[in-house]
Amino acid sequence: MDEIVNYETLAIKTAILEKEVKFNDSFLKKLFDIIPSPMFYKDKNGVYQHCNDAFSKLILGISKEEIIGKTLYDLTHVIPKENADIYYEKDRELFLVQKDQFYEGKVKCADGKTREYQFYKSSFVLDGEIIGLVGLMLDVSDYKKALRELDEKNRLLSEISITDSLTGLYNRRYFQDILEEKVNSSIRYNHSFCFAIIDIDFFKDYNDSFGHYKGDLVLEQLGKVFKESFLRTTDYVFRIGGEEFAILFDVIDFNDAILIMENLRKKVEDLKIKASSSSSYEYLTISVGLGNIKELKKDVNPSILYHEVDKLLYKSKNENRNKVTVADIIF
């Protein structure tokens, strides 16, 4: 009699456990499916055992029934082999060693759109043995787009803060920063650099004769010529005052710097911009002071170099303008 009671009790408990297992299985699958992020589970052989609707419909564009029981290489019509190879190698790490994985990647989804995902994957362990892996994919496309837009806005703000709005050249504030950097670098590594200051001859008279609108057009035009003449990443062209510009650049031989500035002076004259009646020349010209900055002592003030090159500029202006005056500058 006791045996019959024990058997009936066992049968009832078994039925209850089976019902709980069935409930838990159904509950977990339902929970799996309502999660909007793609999820999947694979056994140790890389065979899909389950995935949710987000994975089947959004990522692969096929039903779960077509996925479950298949490997990456059984789904080549929706997973290109080159992608399958990448995913296989990453999965293999989780099958060999118990660990978590996190990485980002772009995925071309079933709707044809390419989205950016963060992959969260982990070895699935039971009784100390790795029996598979679970994975979740988090769509970060909007987040990444927002970051790129923010980076671009920050870049533009940074550019605006160091750029002259009229000519598009660097402004005086940035000139002071770069000149200080060049001076410190010259002292530290014992190398020279070139420093030119340029002034548009009789520009005040030009504005008085033709108006400030025309004057602004001239500043834009000359700014473009200066910028196009110095295109290396180590070249810096600045508008540091109304009609005053500065250029910091490097050459191996200072004679090359002299030739470059002479060519620039001639380029401006060749623009054939009609000069004011007070000018000594028919067309608009520039005067240039060019210093070969070398052998600087520690703690030399950059403003001293500016004044020395400015002296060279004024020597050009005092000698009938449209001229490049050069000198070595040693402190």
Side-chain angles (χ1 to χ4, degrees), residues 304-316:
I304 295 176
L305 301 183
Y306 175 86
H307 290 304
E308 289 300 312
V309 177
D310 203 39
K311 288 179 187 177
L312 298 176
L313 168 65
Y314 274 88
K315 186 175 180 182
S316 290

Side-chain angles (χ1 to χ4, degrees), residues 80-279:
K81 184 180 181 302
E82 57 270 23
N83 292 355
D85 289 340
I86 294 170
Y87 298 143
Y88 172 78
E89 287 302 320
K90 290 188 175 294
D91 290 351
R92 190 165 171 270
E93 292 178 13
L94 298 175
F95 297 144
L96 294 174
V97 180
Q98 181 181 342
K99 62 186 293 188
D100 297 328
Q101 268 183 2
F102 167 75
Y103 57 91
E104 295 184 356
K106 292 183 179 180
V107 177
K108 187 173 182 180
C109 300
D111 59 5
K113 293 182 180 179
T114 298
R115 295 180 173 86
E116 295 179 77
Y117 284 95
Q118 288 180 343
F119 289 76
Y120 298 86
K121 294 159 66 177
S122 180
S123 306
F124 188 64
V125 180
L126 186 64
D127 296 330
E129 181 185 354
I130 299 172
I131 62 171
L133 66 82
V134 290
L136 179 144
M137 299 166 62
L138 184 63
D139 186 350
V140 292
S141 303
D142 290 341
Y143 170 70
K144 290 290 187 178
K145 181 182 178 184
L147 279 183
R148 286 192 291 269
E149 289 174 351
L150 181 61
D151 286 344
E152 178 63 14
K153 286 177 182 177
N154 287 336
R155 186 192 66 77
L156 290 172
L157 285 172
S158 176
E159 191 172 290
I160 288 170
S161 71
I162 62 173
T163 303
D164 173 61
S165 58
L166 179 63
T167 62
L169 302 177
Y170 294 126
N171 59 21
R172 187 179 187 93
R173 173 183 148 189
Y174 194 53
F175 162 71
Q176 292 169 333
D177 292 341
I178 296 300
L179 179 58
E180 185 174 347
E181 286 182 16
K182 296 287 281 187
V183 168
N184 290 338
S185 178
S186 179
I187 294 169
R188 183 174 181 180
Y189 298 108
N190 193 31
H191 66 70
S192 62
F193 66 93
C194 300
F195 180 4
I197 300 178
I198 302 168
D199 190 81
I200 305 174
D201 297 329
F202 299 103
F203 190 70
K204 183 180 181 302
D205 296 332
Y206 183 91
N207 272 336
D208 291 342
S209 298
F210 302 106
H212 287 280
Y213 173 72
K214 286 270 191 167
D216 284 350
L217 291 179
V218 165
L219 291 171
E220 288 184 66
Q221 193 172 0
L222 265 61
K224 184 179 180 182
V225 170
F226 297 161
K227 192 172 186 177
E228 289 176 349
S229 300
F230 291 86
L231 297 175
R232 298 175 304 173
T233 56
T234 55
D235 295 337
Y236 296 90
V237 185
F238 312 84
R239 182 187 176 201
I240 57 175
E243 69 270 26
E244 194 169 75
F245 300 82
I247 303 175
L248 299 172
F249 63 105
D250 299 322
V251 291
I252 296 174
D253 186 337
F254 187 59
N255 288 322
D256 292 335
I258 298 171
L259 181 62
I260 288 169
M261 296 313 300
E262 282 289 355
N263 287 339
L264 189 64
R265 181 197 63 77
K266 190 168 188 311
K267 278 183 184 179
V268 172
E269 194 170 22
D270 289 345
L271 291 174
K272 298 189 184 303
I273 300 171
K274 188 69 177 177
S276 65
S277 57
S278 59
S279 175

Side-chain angles (χ1 to χ4, degrees), residues 8-55:
E8 288 177 350
T9 303
L10 182 60
I12 291 170
K13 288 183 177 179
T14 301
I16 291 171
L17 287 173
E18 287 177 348
K19 189 174 182 180
E20 287 181 356
V21 169
K22 186 176 180 181
F23 171 81
N24 289 338
D25 184 59
S26 297
F27 175 77
L28 290 173
K29 286 182 178 179
K30 185 64 177 178
L31 182 63
F32 217 59
D33 280 336
I34 64 172
I35 293 175
S37 296
M39 297 178 66
F40 52 86
Y41 166 64
K42 300 178 182 180
D43 66 19
K44 195 173 181 179
N45 296 314
V47 177
Y48 286 99
Q49 296 299 319
H50 192 61
C51 65
N52 64 357
D53 289 338
F55 183 79

